[in-house]
Short mmCIF file of all heavy atoms in Angstrom, two decimals:
data_model
loop_
_atom_site.label_atom_id
_atom_site.label_comp_id
_atom_site.label_asym_id
_atom_site.label_seq_id
_atom_site.Cartn_x
_atom_site.Cartn_y
_atom_site.Cartn_z
N MET B 141 38.22 56.96 -6.35
CA MET B 141 39.49 56.82 -6.59
C MET B 141 40.42 57.63 -5.71
O MET B 141 40.06 58.76 -5.42
CB MET B 141 39.85 57.11 -8.09
CG MET B 141 40.52 55.98 -8.74
SD MET B 141 40.60 55.99 -10.39
CE MET B 141 42.21 55.43 -10.48
N LYS B 142 41.60 57.22 -5.35
CA LYS B 142 42.42 57.83 -4.54
C LYS B 142 43.46 58.72 -5.29
O LYS B 142 44.06 58.25 -6.26
CB LYS B 142 43.20 56.74 -3.70
CG LYS B 142 43.88 57.20 -2.45
CD LYS B 142 44.12 56.00 -1.61
CE LYS B 142 45.51 55.66 -1.54
NZ LYS B 142 45.95 54.68 -0.52
N PRO B 143 43.64 59.90 -4.93
CA PRO B 143 44.60 60.77 -5.58
C PRO B 143 46.05 60.20 -5.41
O PRO B 143 46.35 59.61 -4.41
CB PRO B 143 44.42 62.18 -4.89
CG PRO B 143 43.39 62.08 -4.03
CD PRO B 143 42.87 60.68 -3.88
N ALA B 144 46.84 60.58 -6.27
CA ALA B 144 48.25 59.99 -6.35
C ALA B 144 49.10 60.48 -5.20
O ALA B 144 49.98 59.86 -4.59
CB ALA B 144 48.99 60.26 -7.68
N ASP B 145 48.77 61.73 -4.70
CA ASP B 145 49.61 62.38 -3.62
C ASP B 145 48.94 62.15 -2.23
O ASP B 145 49.41 62.68 -1.28
CB ASP B 145 49.74 63.80 -3.85
CG ASP B 145 48.42 64.55 -3.97
OD1 ASP B 145 47.36 63.91 -4.16
OD2 ASP B 145 48.39 65.80 -3.88
N ALA B 146 47.97 61.33 -2.12
CA ALA B 146 47.32 61.09 -0.77
C ALA B 146 48.17 60.18 0.07
O ALA B 146 48.89 59.30 -0.47
CB ALA B 146 45.95 60.35 -1.02
N PRO B 147 48.30 60.38 1.34
CA PRO B 147 49.14 59.64 2.25
C PRO B 147 48.61 58.17 2.27
O PRO B 147 47.42 57.87 2.15
CB PRO B 147 49.08 60.23 3.48
CG PRO B 147 47.85 61.14 3.56
CD PRO B 147 47.64 61.43 2.08
N ALA B 148 49.44 57.16 2.48
CA ALA B 148 49.12 55.81 2.63
C ALA B 148 48.29 55.67 3.94
O ALA B 148 48.54 56.24 4.90
CB ALA B 148 50.31 54.89 2.59
N ALA B 149 47.28 54.73 3.90
CA ALA B 149 46.57 54.37 5.03
C ALA B 149 47.50 53.71 6.08
O ALA B 149 48.37 52.90 5.76
CB ALA B 149 45.35 53.49 4.66
N PRO B 150 47.19 54.07 7.39
CA PRO B 150 48.04 53.32 8.44
C PRO B 150 47.66 51.88 8.51
O PRO B 150 46.62 51.42 8.07
CB PRO B 150 47.68 54.11 9.65
CG PRO B 150 46.37 54.69 9.35
CD PRO B 150 46.31 54.97 7.92
N ASN B 151 48.74 51.16 9.05
CA ASN B 151 48.54 49.72 9.10
C ASN B 151 47.71 49.39 10.41
O ASN B 151 48.15 49.70 11.47
CB ASN B 151 49.92 49.07 9.19
CG ASN B 151 49.80 47.56 9.14
OD1 ASN B 151 48.74 46.94 9.11
ND2 ASN B 151 50.95 46.88 9.08
N PRO B 152 46.50 48.88 10.20
CA PRO B 152 45.67 48.61 11.36
C PRO B 152 46.05 47.47 12.30
O PRO B 152 45.68 47.23 13.37
CB PRO B 152 44.30 48.46 10.84
CG PRO B 152 44.54 47.90 9.49
CD PRO B 152 45.78 48.50 9.01
N SER B 153 46.93 46.64 11.77
CA SER B 153 47.33 45.42 12.50
C SER B 153 48.46 45.72 13.54
O SER B 153 49.34 46.45 13.24
CB SER B 153 47.86 44.38 11.46
OG SER B 153 48.38 43.20 12.24
N PRO B 154 48.34 45.24 14.75
CA PRO B 154 49.31 45.35 15.69
C PRO B 154 50.65 44.75 15.33
O PRO B 154 51.69 45.08 15.82
CB PRO B 154 48.74 44.84 16.97
CG PRO B 154 47.69 43.88 16.61
CD PRO B 154 47.20 44.36 15.25
N HIS B 155 50.56 43.74 14.56
CA HIS B 155 51.70 43.01 13.98
C HIS B 155 51.87 43.35 12.51
O HIS B 155 51.20 42.79 11.78
CB HIS B 155 51.66 41.46 14.31
CG HIS B 155 51.58 41.12 15.62
ND1 HIS B 155 52.58 41.30 16.55
CD2 HIS B 155 50.51 40.68 16.39
CE1 HIS B 155 52.17 40.84 17.68
NE2 HIS B 155 50.93 40.45 17.61
N PRO B 156 52.82 44.25 12.18
CA PRO B 156 52.94 44.56 10.82
C PRO B 156 53.12 43.44 9.86
O PRO B 156 52.68 43.43 8.77
CB PRO B 156 54.14 45.55 10.71
CG PRO B 156 54.36 45.96 12.16
CD PRO B 156 53.83 44.87 13.02
N SER B 157 53.76 42.39 10.22
CA SER B 157 54.06 41.30 9.38
C SER B 157 52.79 40.46 9.05
O SER B 157 52.68 39.76 8.09
CB SER B 157 55.10 40.39 9.96
OG SER B 157 54.72 39.78 11.22
N LEU B 158 51.81 40.60 9.86
CA LEU B 158 50.56 39.84 9.64
C LEU B 158 49.77 40.42 8.49
O LEU B 158 49.08 39.70 7.79
CB LEU B 158 49.69 39.78 10.95
CG LEU B 158 50.18 38.98 12.07
CD1 LEU B 158 49.20 39.14 13.24
CD2 LEU B 158 50.31 37.53 11.64
N SER B 159 49.90 41.71 8.33
CA SER B 159 49.10 42.24 7.18
C SER B 159 49.95 42.42 5.91
O SER B 159 49.45 42.94 4.92
CB SER B 159 48.61 43.70 7.63
OG SER B 159 49.63 44.53 7.89
N SER B 160 51.18 41.98 5.96
CA SER B 160 51.97 42.19 4.77
C SER B 160 51.81 41.06 3.75
O SER B 160 52.50 41.16 2.67
CB SER B 160 53.55 42.22 5.23
OG SER B 160 53.91 41.06 5.72
N GLY B 161 50.96 40.11 4.12
CA GLY B 161 50.83 39.07 3.08
C GLY B 161 51.75 37.84 3.37
O GLY B 161 51.67 36.89 2.69
N SER B 162 52.55 37.98 4.36
CA SER B 162 53.46 36.87 4.68
C SER B 162 52.75 35.72 5.25
O SER B 162 51.86 35.96 6.09
CB SER B 162 54.57 37.35 5.58
OG SER B 162 55.40 36.24 6.04
N ALA B 163 53.07 34.53 4.93
CA ALA B 163 52.37 33.43 5.45
C ALA B 163 52.80 33.07 6.96
O ALA B 163 52.04 32.65 7.76
CB ALA B 163 52.71 32.10 4.65
N VAL B 164 54.06 33.37 7.26
CA VAL B 164 54.58 33.17 8.60
C VAL B 164 54.95 34.52 9.19
O VAL B 164 55.77 35.26 8.57
CB VAL B 164 55.85 32.30 8.55
CG1 VAL B 164 56.39 32.18 9.98
CG2 VAL B 164 55.47 30.97 7.99
N PRO B 165 54.37 34.99 10.29
CA PRO B 165 54.63 36.24 10.84
C PRO B 165 56.10 36.31 11.36
O PRO B 165 56.65 35.34 11.74
CB PRO B 165 53.72 36.42 12.05
CG PRO B 165 52.69 35.26 11.87
CD PRO B 165 53.33 34.33 10.96
N ALA B 166 56.73 37.51 11.25
CA ALA B 166 58.04 37.67 11.71
C ALA B 166 58.26 37.39 13.14
O ALA B 166 59.31 36.96 13.59
CB ALA B 166 58.60 38.97 11.31
N TRP B 167 57.34 37.72 13.98
CA TRP B 167 57.46 37.58 15.39
C TRP B 167 57.58 36.08 15.84
O TRP B 167 58.05 35.81 16.94
CB TRP B 167 56.40 38.34 16.24
CG TRP B 167 54.94 37.97 15.81
CD1 TRP B 167 54.26 38.61 14.81
CD2 TRP B 167 54.13 36.90 16.36
NE1 TRP B 167 53.05 37.95 14.71
CE2 TRP B 167 52.95 36.95 15.63
CE3 TRP B 167 54.36 35.95 17.32
CZ2 TRP B 167 51.88 36.01 15.96
CZ3 TRP B 167 53.29 35.09 17.48
CH2 TRP B 167 52.07 35.21 16.97
N THR B 168 57.15 35.15 15.07
CA THR B 168 57.26 33.78 15.47
C THR B 168 58.75 33.28 15.34
O THR B 168 59.17 32.29 15.98
CB THR B 168 56.42 32.81 14.58
OG1 THR B 168 56.71 33.01 13.27
CG2 THR B 168 54.92 33.18 14.88
N ASP B 169 59.54 33.89 14.49
CA ASP B 169 60.92 33.52 14.31
C ASP B 169 61.70 33.66 15.62
O ASP B 169 62.60 32.86 15.91
CB ASP B 169 61.59 34.31 13.15
CG ASP B 169 61.00 33.99 11.85
OD1 ASP B 169 60.39 32.92 11.69
OD2 ASP B 169 61.19 34.88 10.96
N ARG B 170 61.41 34.63 16.42
CA ARG B 170 62.14 34.87 17.64
C ARG B 170 61.80 33.78 18.70
O ARG B 170 62.65 33.55 19.55
CB ARG B 170 61.74 36.16 18.24
CG ARG B 170 62.27 37.38 17.40
CD ARG B 170 61.86 38.59 18.13
NE ARG B 170 60.41 38.61 18.40
CZ ARG B 170 59.72 39.73 18.68
NH1 ARG B 170 60.28 40.82 18.84
NH2 ARG B 170 58.36 39.60 18.80
N GLU B 171 60.64 33.21 18.59
CA GLU B 171 60.32 32.20 19.56
C GLU B 171 60.29 30.82 18.99
O GLU B 171 59.76 29.84 19.68
CB GLU B 171 58.82 32.56 19.96
CG GLU B 171 58.66 33.92 20.62
CD GLU B 171 57.24 34.19 20.94
OE1 GLU B 171 56.41 33.39 20.66
OE2 GLU B 171 57.06 35.29 21.47
N ALA B 172 61.01 30.66 17.91
CA ALA B 172 61.03 29.33 17.26
C ALA B 172 61.67 28.23 18.22
O ALA B 172 61.20 27.11 18.23
CB ALA B 172 61.81 29.37 15.92
N GLY B 173 62.72 28.50 18.95
CA GLY B 173 63.34 27.50 19.75
C GLY B 173 62.93 27.47 21.17
O GLY B 173 63.39 26.75 22.02
N MET B 174 61.78 28.19 21.51
CA MET B 174 61.38 28.24 22.90
C MET B 174 60.85 26.92 23.42
O MET B 174 61.13 26.59 24.58
CB MET B 174 60.29 29.39 23.15
CG MET B 174 60.86 30.74 22.95
SD MET B 174 62.15 31.16 24.15
CE MET B 174 61.26 31.01 25.76
N ALA B 175 60.10 26.21 22.69
CA ALA B 175 59.58 24.98 23.11
C ALA B 175 60.73 23.91 23.34
O ALA B 175 60.68 23.22 24.36
CB ALA B 175 58.62 24.38 22.17
N THR B 176 61.67 23.99 22.45
CA THR B 176 62.88 23.10 22.67
C THR B 176 63.69 23.45 24.01
O THR B 176 64.01 22.55 24.67
CB THR B 176 63.80 23.19 21.46
OG1 THR B 176 63.01 22.91 20.27
CG2 THR B 176 65.01 22.29 21.56
N ALA B 177 63.81 24.74 24.27
CA ALA B 177 64.51 25.15 25.44
C ALA B 177 63.71 24.65 26.73
O ALA B 177 64.26 24.27 27.67
CB ALA B 177 64.71 26.62 25.41
N GLU B 178 62.42 24.84 26.60
CA GLU B 178 61.60 24.48 27.79
C GLU B 178 61.58 23.03 28.02
O GLU B 178 61.70 22.47 29.09
CB GLU B 178 60.16 24.91 27.53
CG GLU B 178 59.94 26.39 27.57
CD GLU B 178 58.65 26.96 27.10
OE1 GLU B 178 57.84 26.05 26.63
OE2 GLU B 178 58.39 28.14 27.05
N TYR B 179 61.59 22.18 26.93
CA TYR B 179 61.76 20.75 27.11
C TYR B 179 63.12 20.31 27.65
O TYR B 179 63.21 19.45 28.47
CB TYR B 179 61.57 19.95 25.80
CG TYR B 179 60.15 19.85 25.35
CD1 TYR B 179 59.73 20.34 24.04
CD2 TYR B 179 59.18 19.38 26.24
CE1 TYR B 179 58.44 20.26 23.61
CE2 TYR B 179 57.87 19.37 25.71
CZ TYR B 179 57.52 19.72 24.49
OH TYR B 179 56.16 19.67 24.07
N ALA B 180 64.17 21.11 27.33
CA ALA B 180 65.53 20.86 27.76
C ALA B 180 65.56 21.09 29.30
O ALA B 180 66.17 20.36 30.08
CB ALA B 180 66.52 21.59 27.01
N ILE B 181 65.00 22.20 29.67
CA ILE B 181 65.02 22.57 31.09
C ILE B 181 64.25 21.63 31.91
O ILE B 181 64.61 21.15 33.00
CB ILE B 181 64.45 23.95 31.31
CG1 ILE B 181 65.49 25.03 30.80
CG2 ILE B 181 64.18 24.31 32.81
CD1 ILE B 181 65.06 26.39 30.66
N ALA B 182 63.07 21.15 31.40
CA ALA B 182 62.24 20.16 32.23
C ALA B 182 62.96 18.75 32.26
O ALA B 182 62.89 18.09 33.27
CB ALA B 182 60.91 19.97 31.43
N THR B 183 63.68 18.48 31.24
CA THR B 183 64.35 17.19 31.16
C THR B 183 65.58 17.23 32.23
O THR B 183 65.80 16.30 32.97
CB THR B 183 64.83 16.83 29.85
OG1 THR B 183 63.75 16.78 28.82
CG2 THR B 183 65.66 15.59 29.70
N LEU B 184 66.21 18.30 32.25
CA LEU B 184 67.34 18.47 33.22
C LEU B 184 66.79 18.42 34.70
O LEU B 184 67.37 17.85 35.56
CB LEU B 184 68.02 19.81 33.03
CG LEU B 184 68.96 19.84 31.80
CD1 LEU B 184 69.60 21.21 31.66
CD2 LEU B 184 70.07 18.81 31.99
N ALA B 185 65.66 19.05 34.92
CA ALA B 185 65.02 19.02 36.22
C ALA B 185 64.56 17.51 36.62
O ALA B 185 64.72 17.15 37.76
CB ALA B 185 63.78 19.95 36.28
N ALA B 186 64.01 16.84 35.55
CA ALA B 186 63.69 15.49 35.85
C ALA B 186 64.83 14.58 36.14
O ALA B 186 64.76 13.76 37.11
CB ALA B 186 62.83 14.91 34.72
N VAL B 187 65.87 14.74 35.47
CA VAL B 187 67.09 13.99 35.71
C VAL B 187 67.71 14.27 37.11
O VAL B 187 68.15 13.31 37.81
CB VAL B 187 68.17 14.25 34.59
CG1 VAL B 187 69.52 13.68 35.00
CG2 VAL B 187 67.69 13.58 33.25
N ALA B 188 67.71 15.55 37.44
CA ALA B 188 68.20 16.00 38.79
C ALA B 188 67.35 15.34 39.96
O ALA B 188 67.91 14.81 40.89
CB ALA B 188 68.22 17.45 39.00
N PHE B 189 66.02 15.40 39.67
CA PHE B 189 65.22 14.75 40.63
C PHE B 189 65.31 13.26 40.79
O PHE B 189 65.35 12.68 41.85
CB PHE B 189 63.71 15.09 40.33
CG PHE B 189 62.69 14.54 41.38
CD1 PHE B 189 62.55 15.18 42.60
CD2 PHE B 189 61.88 13.46 40.96
CE1 PHE B 189 61.70 14.60 43.53
CE2 PHE B 189 61.07 12.93 41.87
CZ PHE B 189 60.82 13.55 43.20
N ALA B 190 65.56 12.56 39.65
CA ALA B 190 65.75 11.17 39.64
C ALA B 190 67.07 10.85 40.33
O ALA B 190 67.09 9.76 41.03
CB ALA B 190 65.80 10.63 38.18
N GLY B 191 68.08 11.60 40.10
CA GLY B 191 69.35 11.45 40.81
C GLY B 191 69.25 11.52 42.27
O GLY B 191 69.69 10.75 43.05
N LEU B 192 68.52 12.60 42.70
CA LEU B 192 68.26 12.75 44.17
C LEU B 192 67.47 11.67 44.72
O LEU B 192 67.73 11.11 45.85
CB LEU B 192 67.60 14.09 44.44
CG LEU B 192 67.11 14.46 45.82
CD1 LEU B 192 68.41 14.62 46.68
CD2 LEU B 192 66.26 15.69 45.86
N LEU B 193 66.45 11.22 44.02
CA LEU B 193 65.66 10.03 44.45
C LEU B 193 66.49 8.70 44.60
O LEU B 193 66.32 7.97 45.52
CB LEU B 193 64.46 9.84 43.56
CG LEU B 193 63.39 8.87 43.90
CD1 LEU B 193 62.67 9.38 45.20
CD2 LEU B 193 62.37 8.83 42.80
N ALA B 194 67.35 8.57 43.62
CA ALA B 194 68.26 7.34 43.69
C ALA B 194 69.10 7.37 44.92
O ALA B 194 69.36 6.42 45.53
CB ALA B 194 69.06 7.26 42.44
N VAL B 195 69.65 8.54 45.26
CA VAL B 195 70.53 8.65 46.41
C VAL B 195 69.71 8.38 47.65
O VAL B 195 70.17 7.66 48.59
CB VAL B 195 71.16 10.06 46.46
CG1 VAL B 195 71.86 10.30 47.79
CG2 VAL B 195 72.14 10.19 45.27
N VAL B 196 68.58 8.99 47.81
CA VAL B 196 67.68 8.77 48.97
C VAL B 196 67.25 7.34 49.07
O VAL B 196 67.31 6.75 50.19
CB VAL B 196 66.44 9.72 48.92
CG1 VAL B 196 65.43 9.36 50.02
CG2 VAL B 196 66.91 11.15 49.13
N LEU B 197 66.82 6.78 48.05
CA LEU B 197 66.38 5.34 48.08
C LEU B 197 67.49 4.36 48.27
O LEU B 197 67.33 3.19 48.69
CB LEU B 197 65.50 4.99 46.82
CG LEU B 197 64.21 5.65 46.70
CD1 LEU B 197 63.51 5.29 45.44
CD2 LEU B 197 63.28 5.38 47.93
N GLY B 198 68.71 4.82 47.96
CA GLY B 198 69.85 3.84 48.07
C GLY B 198 70.39 3.89 49.57
O GLY B 198 71.17 3.00 49.86
N SER B 199 69.90 4.76 50.44
CA SER B 199 70.37 4.71 51.78
C SER B 199 69.88 3.59 52.53
O SER B 199 68.78 3.02 52.18
CB SER B 199 69.96 6.00 52.47
OG SER B 199 68.61 6.09 52.64
N ASP B 200 70.57 3.09 53.60
CA ASP B 200 70.18 1.84 54.30
C ASP B 200 68.88 2.01 55.03
O ASP B 200 68.10 1.16 55.11
CB ASP B 200 71.27 1.52 55.24
CG ASP B 200 72.50 1.00 54.48
OD1 ASP B 200 72.34 0.45 53.37
OD2 ASP B 200 73.62 1.03 55.06
N GLU B 201 68.62 3.20 55.68
CA GLU B 201 67.46 3.41 56.40
C GLU B 201 66.17 3.31 55.51
O GLU B 201 65.15 2.68 55.86
CB GLU B 201 67.52 4.81 57.05
CG GLU B 201 68.58 4.98 58.11
CD GLU B 201 69.85 5.49 57.47
OE1 GLU B 201 69.86 5.96 56.33
OE2 GLU B 201 70.85 5.44 58.17
N VAL B 202 66.23 4.00 54.38
CA VAL B 202 65.04 3.96 53.48
C VAL B 202 64.86 2.61 52.91
O VAL B 202 63.75 2.05 52.78
CB VAL B 202 65.23 5.04 52.38
CG1 VAL B 202 64.17 4.96 51.34
CG2 VAL B 202 65.30 6.44 52.97
N ARG B 203 65.98 1.95 52.61
CA ARG B 203 65.87 0.56 52.01
C ARG B 203 65.21 -0.45 53.03
O ARG B 203 64.31 -1.16 52.71
CB ARG B 203 67.26 0.01 51.64
CG ARG B 203 67.21 -1.28 50.94
CD ARG B 203 68.52 -1.77 50.52
NE ARG B 203 69.01 -0.79 49.52
CZ ARG B 203 70.25 -0.84 48.96
NH1 ARG B 203 71.03 -1.71 49.44
NH2 ARG B 203 70.56 0.01 48.09
N SER B 204 65.63 -0.33 54.32
CA SER B 204 64.97 -1.20 55.32
C SER B 204 63.51 -0.84 55.50
O SER B 204 62.75 -1.77 55.70
CB SER B 204 65.76 -1.07 56.67
OG SER B 204 65.70 0.16 57.18
N MET B 205 63.13 0.45 55.49
CA MET B 205 61.77 0.77 55.60
C MET B 205 60.94 0.23 54.46
O MET B 205 59.79 -0.23 54.69
CB MET B 205 61.64 2.27 55.72
CG MET B 205 62.01 2.94 56.97
SD MET B 205 61.60 4.64 57.25
CE MET B 205 61.72 5.43 55.68
N LEU B 206 61.50 0.37 53.26
CA LEU B 206 60.77 -0.21 52.08
C LEU B 206 60.65 -1.72 52.12
O LEU B 206 59.58 -2.21 51.80
CB LEU B 206 61.44 0.23 50.73
CG LEU B 206 61.32 1.71 50.38
CD1 LEU B 206 62.22 1.96 49.19
CD2 LEU B 206 59.94 2.03 50.15
N VAL B 207 61.66 -2.41 52.54
CA VAL B 207 61.60 -3.87 52.68
C VAL B 207 60.60 -4.25 53.71
O VAL B 207 59.73 -5.12 53.43
CB VAL B 207 63.01 -4.41 52.93
CG1 VAL B 207 62.93 -5.90 53.38
CG2 VAL B 207 63.90 -4.28 51.79
N SER B 208 60.56 -3.60 54.79
CA SER B 208 59.58 -3.98 55.86
C SER B 208 58.12 -3.61 55.39
O SER B 208 57.21 -4.30 55.70
CB SER B 208 59.91 -3.19 57.14
OG SER B 208 59.65 -1.81 57.05
N LEU B 209 57.99 -2.53 54.68
CA LEU B 209 56.65 -2.23 54.10
C LEU B 209 56.14 -3.28 53.12
O LEU B 209 55.05 -3.70 53.12
CB LEU B 209 56.69 -0.83 53.40
CG LEU B 209 55.42 -0.33 52.83
CD1 LEU B 209 54.46 0.00 53.80
CD2 LEU B 209 55.72 0.92 51.92
N ILE B 210 57.11 -3.64 52.24
CA ILE B 210 56.68 -4.71 51.22
C ILE B 210 56.40 -6.04 51.96
O ILE B 210 55.46 -6.74 51.59
CB ILE B 210 57.88 -4.87 50.19
CG1 ILE B 210 57.99 -3.59 49.32
CG2 ILE B 210 57.66 -6.08 49.37
CD1 ILE B 210 59.11 -3.46 48.45
N ARG B 211 57.26 -6.45 53.02
CA ARG B 211 56.94 -7.61 53.71
C ARG B 211 55.61 -7.62 54.37
O ARG B 211 54.92 -8.62 54.36
CB ARG B 211 58.10 -7.96 54.71
CG ARG B 211 59.30 -8.42 54.01
CD ARG B 211 60.35 -8.91 55.07
NE ARG B 211 61.53 -9.31 54.28
CZ ARG B 211 62.69 -9.38 54.82
NH1 ARG B 211 62.88 -8.95 56.07
NH2 ARG B 211 63.78 -9.77 54.17
N SER B 212 55.35 -6.49 55.00
CA SER B 212 54.01 -6.39 55.73
C SER B 212 52.87 -6.39 54.71
O SER B 212 51.78 -6.81 55.04
CB SER B 212 53.95 -5.15 56.60
OG SER B 212 53.99 -3.98 55.80
N ALA B 213 53.05 -5.80 53.52
CA ALA B 213 52.02 -5.86 52.52
C ALA B 213 51.76 -7.24 52.00
O ALA B 213 50.68 -7.67 51.62
CB ALA B 213 52.42 -4.88 51.38
N LEU B 214 52.86 -8.05 51.82
CA LEU B 214 52.72 -9.39 51.25
C LEU B 214 52.31 -10.41 52.32
O LEU B 214 51.94 -11.58 51.96
CB LEU B 214 54.02 -9.80 50.56
CG LEU B 214 54.45 -8.93 49.40
CD1 LEU B 214 55.76 -9.46 48.89
CD2 LEU B 214 53.42 -9.10 48.25
N THR B 215 52.40 -10.07 53.54
CA THR B 215 52.05 -11.02 54.63
C THR B 215 50.53 -11.09 54.85
O THR B 215 49.91 -10.05 54.86
CB THR B 215 52.73 -10.58 55.95
OG1 THR B 215 54.02 -10.46 55.77
CG2 THR B 215 52.38 -11.73 56.99
N LEU B 216 50.02 -12.32 54.86
CA LEU B 216 48.56 -12.42 54.97
C LEU B 216 48.25 -12.32 56.46
O LEU B 216 48.84 -12.99 57.27
CB LEU B 216 48.06 -13.75 54.46
CG LEU B 216 48.27 -13.92 52.91
CD1 LEU B 216 47.87 -15.38 52.55
CD2 LEU B 216 47.42 -12.98 52.21
N GLY B 217 47.23 -11.63 56.82
CA GLY B 217 46.68 -11.67 58.21
C GLY B 217 47.01 -10.41 58.86
O GLY B 217 47.13 -9.70 59.61
#
């Protein structure tokens, strides 16, 4: 048995909230929106790339190259 005036045992867990009996550790609350922010940044990058691609493919030089490539691909012989 432990005496009443004995010091409490130190918490061996590196995350105090993990050993406190809580079902959800406190450190996950700070990172709760990180996946959403990462998806938002990736979506913005994809939209920017799509806009750049639309501008490049809309130019007359690229359009004529693509048309000639498609025609040569569809031509037999």
Side-chain angles (χ1 to χ4, degrees):
M141 228 165 144
K142 199 159 110 171
D145 59 343
N151 187 357
S153 174
H155 299 290
S157 61
L158 289 177
S159 62
S160 66
S162 173
V164 178
W167 53 270
T168 57
D169 293 340
R170 293 181 303 197
E171 299 175 2
M174 288 303 294
T176 304
E178 290 168 1
Y179 284 126
I181 290 170
T183 302
L184 286 175
V187 168
F189 182 73
L192 178 65
L193 191 60
V195 168
V196 168
L197 291 178
S199 67
D200 291 334
E201 296 89 14
V202 175
R203 185 176 297 171
S204 66
M205 286 189 329
L206 288 174
V207 168
S208 67
L209 178 69
I210 292 171
R211 283 188 182 155
S212 66
L214 295 177
T215 305
L216 295 175

